Amino acid sequence: MSDYDTAAIQKLDAAHYMHPFTDHKALGEKGARVMVRGQGIYLWDSEGNKIIDGMSGLWCVNVGYGRTSISKAVYEQMETLPFYNSFFNTTNIPAVKLAAKLAQISPPQFNHVYFTGSGSEGNDTNVRMVRRYWDVLGYKDRHTIISRHNAYHGSTMAGASLGGMDGMHAQGGLPIPGIVHIGQPNYLESGKGMTEDEFGIEAASWLEKKILEVGPEKVAAFIGEPIQGAGGVIIPPATYWPEIQRICDKYEILLISDEVICGFGRLGRWFASELFGIKPDLITFAKGVTSGYVPLGGVLVGDRVAKVLIEQGGEFNHGFTYSGHPVACAAALENIRIIEDEKLIERVANETGPYLKQRFAELADHPLVGYADSCGFVAGLNLVRSKGATVHDNVAFDESLAVGMVCRGYMFNNGMIMRAVGDRMIIAPPLVLTTVQIDEMVALIRHCLDLTYADVKERGWL
């Protein structure tokens, strides 16, 4: 490990670098943690600390760090054709090959791809594409898109509007017109007195109520993450998505599956919509398509939409300089090859995913943990002040205590990256995680929970 002048880097960082979703004054006073190297599931900071990356960077480093073959693919493409745009009737070979590969691995209704630079841009594209689709068909009032509270669909104006994060809507006059929201399928939050299956049907019914409230003739689409990620790994009941599909079919509205997090093997399928048994018209992707090595996003466009836009739509006045960037597409092609050749999706589905579920569930016996659940390679646990007879009878900590952030601090300072969403602690580890490394990770999480428990007990919060 090379020596780094951490203080000097932190000083430059505070002076010049504005971070995403950050209180810059507070960060400047504290100093950012400087990450310098990654290998497999591990990171090292500038102080030489080794850390398990339980969040895959930001839900994205599916094949782990240090993949030389991706670096080589990127280098070779940079040496050959580092960039050319896809405007003016031109294309490039990596973009064409990637589009064909995505059509091959995606559900059968997808034969076309629209490339962007990120998931946020992908969801902006969805807004433009959905509204254009209905305009071409002659339904110019059918522009309203329904989303969910506490959803995350990006940070651009349209992406943040589609999302249901109150803190984001409070800044910038969001949401923009034509986007409305319904409740999220959070059983812990809203399912008291119901079985999970009953609650799944109830939560899906909120979509139909909103469609009737807005007017079916005005509703263009419904968008949802198969599992809400940034909202706290909200895993819906098994009955939820099939009922959502039924309602969308009933009113002939488009269904958008935002799989920026859930795609490319994270749930043990190429795409999460396959796991949940739905047939979306559009799928947003990013993150795992390149494992974060180079930024890339896009939209898988189902035949229902593509046929109208291609055969009747004329020029679609939308796009980005970096749509189909040849270097990013080269990285994606090699990333997908790794996923296929190493059978990472099969491993998550049949071996490591079930093992993670088993080991993670064991954390529910900790006095601080009121509920622990997982699906594939996403998982979350709720920190509670005391446990009740059922999960709905647990007593939560006062939000002002920010116990989740206390726990996150112990995690981060003891070699474990685990994200806090309120008092829910979540993980989304790289897909290359082995069963031995799952044991290592769960032991470290338990140790940090012990430290958190001792801390909050000493503070008199229990």
Side-chain angles (χ1 to χ4, degrees):
M1 179 69 65
S2 301
D3 292 329
Y4 296 92
D5 187 340
T6 301
I9 297 169
Q10 289 174 330
K11 186 176 180 180
L12 277 175
D13 180 81
H16 303 291
Y17 185 14
M18 296 189 74
H19 294 240
F21 289 88
T22 296
D23 180 333
H24 297 96
K25 182 178 180 181
L27 180 62
E29 293 170 354
K30 179 183 178 182
R33 189 167 196 172
V34 183
M35 297 300 188
V36 296
R37 186 166 73 90
Q39 185 65 43
I41 69 162
Y42 301 102
L43 292 164
W44 284 263
D45 66 15
S46 57
E47 301 295 306
N49 296 303
K50 183 181 179 181
I51 311 153
I52 296 176
D53 184 6
M55 283 304 302
S56 300
L58 197 61
W59 318 86
C60 54
V61 189
N62 288 11
V63 301
Y65 297 94
R67 292 291 189 157
T68 303
S69 64
I70 298 180
S71 305
K72 183 178 179 182
V74 166
Y75 172 77
E76 290 177 351
Q77 185 58 47
M78 283 186 167
E79 288 289 289
T80 305
L81 179 70
F83 173 73
Y84 198 73
N85 69 78
S86 294
F87 291 59
F88 317 125
N89 304 317
T90 62
T91 193
N92 67 79
I93 293 170
V96 172
K97 286 185 174 181
L98 180 58
K101 186 64 181 179
L102 291 172
Q104 176 195 330
I105 64 175
S106 62
Q109 70 269 32
F110 294 103
N111 291 290
H112 295 84
V113 182
Y114 197 99
F115 288 118
T116 67
S118 67
S120 293
E121 290 178 2
N123 281 324
D124 277 39
T125 297
N126 282 328
V127 173
R128 297 288 307 280
M129 197 171 281
V130 162
R131 290 178 173 175
R132 178 61 180 160
Y133 168 83
W134 289 112
D135 284 350
V136 171
L137 291 177
Y139 298 95
K140 296 188 180 296
D141 290 333
R142 204 160 188 175
H143 278 190
T144 299
I145 300 174
I146 301 173
S147 182
R148 300 180 298 197
H149 297 300
N150 200 38
Y152 185 83
H153 295 295
S155 194
T156 54
M157 289 292 285
S161 296
L162 289 171
M165 301 284 186
D166 291 341
M168 298 177 73
H169 288 179
Q171 298 178 357
L174 302 178
I176 59 176
I179 296 173
V180 297
H181 298 81
I182 61 174
Q184 60 180 337
N186 187 334
Y187 179 63
L188 287 183
E189 177 184 79
S190 306
K192 188 172 183 178
M194 291 179 270
T195 66
E196 289 194 54
D197 283 351
E198 289 170 343
F199 174 69
I201 299 296
E202 171 65 19
S205 75
W206 302 335
L207 172 60
E208 185 162 28
K209 291 173 184 174
K210 182 60 72 172
I211 291 170
L212 294 174
E213 176 189 320
V214 173
E217 73 284 356
K218 295 182 179 179
V219 177
F222 172 73
I223 184 171
E225 306 158 83
I227 291 176
Q228 287 164 253
V233 181
I234 307 302
I235 303 170
T239 53
Y240 178 77
W241 276 111
E243 182 66 5
I244 289 289
Q245 180 75 66
R246 186 193 69 78
I247 293 166
C248 289
D249 290 345
K250 178 180 178 179
Y251 294 98
E252 298 183 339
I253 70 172
L254 297 173
L255 177 57
I256 307 168
S257 183
D258 183 341
E259 305 208 22
V260 169
I261 287 172
C262 295
F264 297 94
R266 182 147 299 280
L267 303 188
R269 300 288 192 279
W270 277 110
F271 295 95
S273 48
E274 299 170 286
L275 179 66
F276 289 105
I278 57 173
K279 295 183 178 180
D281 299 288
L282 300 159
I283 292 179
T284 322
F285 67 88
K287 295 187 185 292
V289 68
T290 64
S291 283
Y293 278 55
V294 182
L296 178 67
V299 179
L300 299 178
V301 186
D303 293 339
R304 173 185 175 185
V305 175
K307 182 179 176 65
V308 169
L309 294 183
I310 292 169
E311 296 183 4
Q312 303 176 53
E315 182 173 350
F316 183 42
N317 296 317
H318 174 73
F320 305 96
T321 299
Y322 300 122
S323 293
H325 195 292
V327 173
C329 292
L333 285 164
E334 178 57 20
N335 177 69
I336 291 171
R337 184 201 66 76
I338 291 171
I339 293 173
E340 287 184 316
D341 287 0
E342 297 185 9
K343 299 188 182 304
L344 293 181
I345 294 175
E346 292 85 348
R347 279 171 54 186
V348 170
N350 303 317
E351 179 191 356
T352 51
Y355 190 68
L356 175 62
K357 186 178 187 69
Q358 172 196 327
R359 293 304 322 277
F360 201 81
E362 293 170 8
L363 294 170
D365 68 7
H366 193 280
L368 205 57
V369 177
Y371 184 74
D373 61 345
S374 67
C375 180
F377 260 35
V378 294
L381 58 83
N382 291 68
L383 305 178
V384 297
R385 188 170 181 268
S386 63
K387 301 184 184 186
T390 72
V391 293
H392 292 113
D393 298 316
N394 292 336
V395 178
F397 287 99
D398 188 301
E399 288 184 11
S400 65
L401 301 178
V403 173
M405 292 304 292
V406 173
C407 185
R408 178 186 179 277
Y410 280 111
M411 296 284 178
F412 218 51
N413 292 328
N414 287 275
M416 177 69 211
I417 294 177
M418 193 173 190
R419 185 170 173 178
V421 180
D423 288 344
R424 184 162 167 84
M425 308 300 298
I426 61 175
I427 56 168
L431 308 189
V432 293
L433 192 74
T434 65
T435 55
V436 172
Q437 290 170 332
I438 289 171
D439 290 339
E440 177 189 4
M441 180 179 69
V442 171
L444 190 50
I445 291 172
R446 185 175 290 276
H447 172 63
C448 294
L449 288 170
D450 288 342
L451 295 173
T452 305
Y453 183 71
D455 188 332
V456 297
K457 191 172 184 180
E458 184 177 344
R459 299 187 196 206
W461 292 352
L462 291 175

